[in-house]
Amino acid sequence: MRYHSRPGAETQALHHPSITADPAMADIVIADTTRRYDGRHLETHPLGGTESSVIRLARELVRRRHAVTVYSNCDAPVEDHGVQWRPIAGARPETCDLYVACQHPRLLRFVRRPRRRAIWVLWQPNHLKHYKQIGRVWWYRPVPVLQSLHQVHIYSPFLPRRDPHILIPLGLPEDVRGQAPLAAPPPRRAIFASNPQRNLKRLVEIWAEKVLPRVPDAVLDVYGVHEMPADADFWAAWGGSLLPAGQPDHVRASVRMHPTATRTGLIEAMRGSRVMLYLGHKVEAFCLAVAEAQALGVPAVVAPVAAVPERVLDGITGFHEADPDRFAERAVALLTDDALWRRQHEAALRHQQGISWSEYAGRFEAALLADRFPINRSVLAVPPEADGDQ
């Protein structure tokens, strides 16, 4: 694999005292400015896909005997699961073996002289070619790590060439993998579990106009990461913006708005739903919400937008439908046809388990470190003494 860096960076890094003497371990720095969080938030706060992915990858790299420090908008230094968390507003590290900037080209300069510099593209890659950013990308030439074929397809030819791209689909946590089939179909409940800005309003319009008249006892449960308290009037706060205005009482009663749920509560809600409904959004670069629902055995009806269709096997574990009428027909079918639901439920459990975060870390390690460190193990392997650390 080719390695690009500024002249002299590698030589200077080789003699820096922070580089570990253990040849089987890398000194890894990750930087992310998405939100204010640290590793402890995975168990205590609702998180978006970027934050949860950073935490899970960092923990797994530590289990593989690497030294990992994450710089984020955290409040103070803290250690979590062996990962060192540091406020990004503090002192910048001079060097490390591998520096991973999350998404933003402005972060590429954060570590002055890393031995290798990568950018973890967790959102769309289009911003990398923005006129304010493309100069940084060409100056530092980071190794991009992508998550979906969609990202590969839209990766700009004006950016430094990668052939082939490093493409690793995001891992799925163990709490959604390996579930047994349900003994009976759930009630007629659909679920939306994403940012409400991602086409929730249009989804509720389709629900009200085309689904509810045909399945009057159906319920659409709406979950997502937001700041609304449990006693909030969602229709009053979001009507006309995130929800359609002027909906009659029976529609409001069928669309049940939930405050941000715990991880356990969200998994229970997904497993208790017959179908996930999601129109997608142009910014989707992977779509963990649909991936996790599918791993839990929840069929999904999605619009073929951005990376979303990569998460659903069309006609097998759900449907891709761009037309609103067809989208509604598929939703009605999964809400009412027990045999169809059973086929797709069991197919999702067979085919949509994804890869674990341990395997993701192994692939990440192999792609970015194997040519510099003697990593003599499978990407599936974790050192035996590390088992049970989680």
Side-chain angles (χ1 to χ4, degrees):
M1 180 178 65
R2 292 182 179 177
Y3 167 53
H4 304 282
S5 73
R6 293 179 59 187
E10 181 172 334
T11 301
Q12 295 176 50
L14 287 172
H15 304 289
H16 191 274
S18 71
I19 300 296
T20 176
D22 182 354
M25 179 186 291
D27 179 11
I28 301 173
V29 172
I30 302 172
D32 177 42
T33 55
T34 306
R35 291 179 64 192
R36 185 175 297 278
Y37 75 104
D38 61 51
R40 299 169 300 177
H41 286 63
L42 186 61
E43 285 77 30
T44 61
H45 290 67
L47 296 174
T50 297
E51 305 95 289
S52 63
S53 296
V54 170
I55 295 171
R56 295 184 191 281
L57 174 61
R59 289 181 180 182
E60 290 297 335
L61 289 171
V62 165
R63 293 185 72 214
R64 303 180 83 85
R65 294 296 182 253
H66 300 296
V68 182
T69 304
V70 180
Y71 288 82
S72 72
N73 291 320
C74 59
D75 295 321
V78 65
E79 180 177 334
D80 171 74
H81 288 72
V83 180
Q84 304 300 317
W85 289 81
R86 298 290 182 267
I88 201 164
R92 291 166 55 192
E94 186 70 21
T95 190
C96 59
D97 295 313
L98 172 63
Y99 169 51
V100 182
C102 291
Q103 191 63 32
H104 298 295
R106 65 175 181 271
L107 292 174
L108 291 173
R109 64 185 291 272
F110 180 69
V111 178
R112 292 178 174 87
R113 289 183 292 276
R115 294 178 69 185
R116 172 161 292 164
R117 185 181 274 109
I119 187 165
W120 198 13
V121 188
L122 291 158
W123 308 345
Q124 293 282 17
N126 291 341
H127 73 293
L128 301 178
K129 67 177 182 180
H130 190 277
Y131 75 95
K132 292 184 178 179
Q133 308 294 345
I134 195 168
R136 292 188 178 100
V137 179
W138 274 99
W139 177 254
Y140 292 106
R141 296 195 181 189
V143 179
V145 180
L146 308 181
Q147 321 306 317
S148 63
L149 289 172
H150 171 70
Q151 288 180 315
V152 173
H153 292 155
I154 67 173
Y155 197 84
S156 173
F158 295 104
L159 293 168
R161 185 172 179 80
R162 295 295 308 172
D163 190 13
H165 279 286
I166 296 173
L167 168 59
I168 315 174
L170 289 178
L172 298 183
E174 294 307 309
D175 56 8
V176 300
R177 304 175 77 233
Q179 300 280 342
L182 293 172
R188 293 178 175 178
R189 305 174 75 96
I191 190 168
F192 170 96
S194 187
N195 187 322
Q197 294 180 340
R198 297 187 177 182
N199 272 324
L200 174 61
K201 179 182 177 182
R202 180 59 182 142
L203 177 65
V204 172
E205 289 173 346
I206 293 173
W207 176 267
E209 297 168 8
K210 303 176 185 297
V211 176
L212 196 59
R214 298 170 62 183
V215 194
D217 61 340
V219 170
L220 173 61
D221 286 303
V222 176
Y223 291 84
V225 177
H226 49 72
E227 304 300 327
M228 296 290 281
D231 59 352
D233 184 341
F234 285 83
W235 287 97
W238 291 356
S241 57
L242 301 178
L243 290 170
Q247 294 299 310
D249 289 345
H250 76 282
V251 171
R252 293 189 180 203
S254 75
V255 180
R256 297 182 182 172
M257 312 296 299
H258 297 268
T260 300
T262 64
R263 175 78 181 169
T264 300
L266 182 58
I267 289 174
E268 290 176 355
M270 286 186 178
R271 284 281 280 182
S273 302
R274 285 182 69 117
V275 59
M276 173 169 274
L277 303 179
Y278 189 47
L279 292 174
H281 194 281
K282 64 182 180 181
V283 302
E284 293 285 7
F286 185 81
C287 197
L288 270 171
V290 173
E292 291 188 354
Q294 288 268 281
L296 288 164
V298 184
V301 183
V302 300
V305 176
V308 177
E310 295 180 44
R311 307 280 74 81
V312 178
L313 300 175
D314 189 24
I316 300 173
T317 66
F319 300 100
H320 304 169
E321 295 293 353
D323 178 73
D325 290 326
R326 294 287 294 164
F327 186 97
E329 286 176 13
R330 299 300 196 185
V332 169
L334 281 165
L335 287 167
T336 59
D337 187 334
D338 288 353
L340 172 64
W341 172 86
R342 172 63 63 185
R343 287 195 302 273
Q344 296 204 347
H345 169 66
E346 295 185 356
L349 292 173
R350 284 195 303 272
H351 303 304
Q352 296 289 70
Q353 295 304 295
I355 66 173
S356 69
W357 273 105
S358 177
E359 182 174 348
Y360 186 95
R363 295 188 189 188
F364 194 91
E365 175 189 62
L368 295 172
L369 294 169
D371 63 336
R372 291 175 177 271
F373 293 86
I375 301 170
N376 298 316
R377 59 175 177 248
S378 162
V379 298
L380 298 174
V382 177
E385 63 272 20
D387 291 342
D389 288 353
Q390 301 295 304

